[in-house]
């Protein structure tokens, strides 16, 4: 029985060693997965921060675009008004020139 007992003890010891190795491998795998998980979490946090900054920049750019569109509209309106003023001034100039020419012609006819 001694021999059988030794074999049983060795079998149990082998089983325990295999179990301990299995536990150690699973612990190492768990540690590795935990490190990978932390890296992914850091990356996600970084990407979330980048997304937040990008959204803020987009909002600022959209606001700037609206401001520039208002300014462009105002400048176009001012240009249109200036063109109308110039056209009116040109018409007034032509009318005054015609009046002066008419007065000159009348003055010449009167003097003759």
């Amino acid at each position: 029985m001694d021999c059988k007992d030794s074999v049983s003890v060795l079998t149990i010891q082998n089983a325990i060693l295999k179990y301990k190795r299995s536990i150690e491998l699973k612990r190492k795998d768990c540690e590795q997965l935990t490190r990978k998980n932390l890296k992914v979490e850091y990356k996600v946090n970084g990407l979330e921060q980048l997304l937040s900054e990008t959204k803020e920049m987009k909002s600022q750019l959209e606001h700037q675009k609206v401001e520039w569109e208002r300014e462009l509209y105002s400048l176009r309106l001012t240009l249109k008004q200036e063109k109308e003023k110039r056209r009116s001034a040109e018409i007034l100039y032509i009318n005054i020139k015609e009046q002066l020419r008419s007065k000159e012609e009348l003055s010449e006819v009167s003097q003759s």
Side-chain angles (χ1 to χ4, degrees):
M1 287 248 199
D2 244 357
C3 195
K4 286 183 181 179
D5 287 340
S6 303
V7 170
S8 294
V9 169
L10 284 175
T11 303
I12 292 171
Q13 286 177 339
N14 281 339
I16 291 172
L17 285 175
K18 283 182 184 179
Y19 180 71
K20 284 183 178 181
R21 280 189 211 121
S22 173
I23 290 174
E24 184 62 25
L25 286 174
K26 288 186 187 282
R27 186 184 62 78
K28 286 182 181 180
D29 287 347
C30 185
E31 288 174 357
Q32 186 178 12
L33 288 173
T34 300
R35 284 192 299 272
K36 282 184 179 180
N37 191 30
L38 283 174
K39 285 181 184 179
V40 169
E41 285 178 9
Y42 289 139
K43 191 171 187 176
V44 166
N45 289 338
L47 290 173
E48 285 175 344
Q49 178 67 28
L50 181 61
L51 178 62
S52 175
E53 292 169 3
T54 302
K55 284 181 179 179
E56 177 64 26
M57 181 61 74
K58 180 181 177 187
S59 174
Q60 290 174 2
L61 289 172
E62 286 173 348
H63 178 74
Q64 183 66 49
K65 178 184 174 190
V66 169
E67 290 297 318
W68 285 346
E69 286 173 347
R70 281 188 199 143
E71 187 177 346
L72 180 61
Y73 175 78
S74 175
L75 289 171
R76 284 181 176 159
L77 181 62
T78 302
L79 179 62
K80 182 178 178 183
Q81 291 169 344
E82 290 299 320
K83 283 181 178 180
E84 288 175 8
K85 284 181 188 178
R86 182 177 178 190
R87 190 176 60 80
S88 295
E90 287 174 351
I91 291 171
L92 182 61
Y93 170 76
I94 291 170
N95 288 340
I96 291 172
K97 187 177 174 182
E98 286 293 320
Q99 288 174 358
L100 286 174
R101 189 172 356 114
S102 295
K103 284 183 183 181
E104 283 180 6
E105 286 174 0
L106 284 175
S107 174
E108 287 177 5
V109 170
S110 307
Q111 290 178 356
S112 307

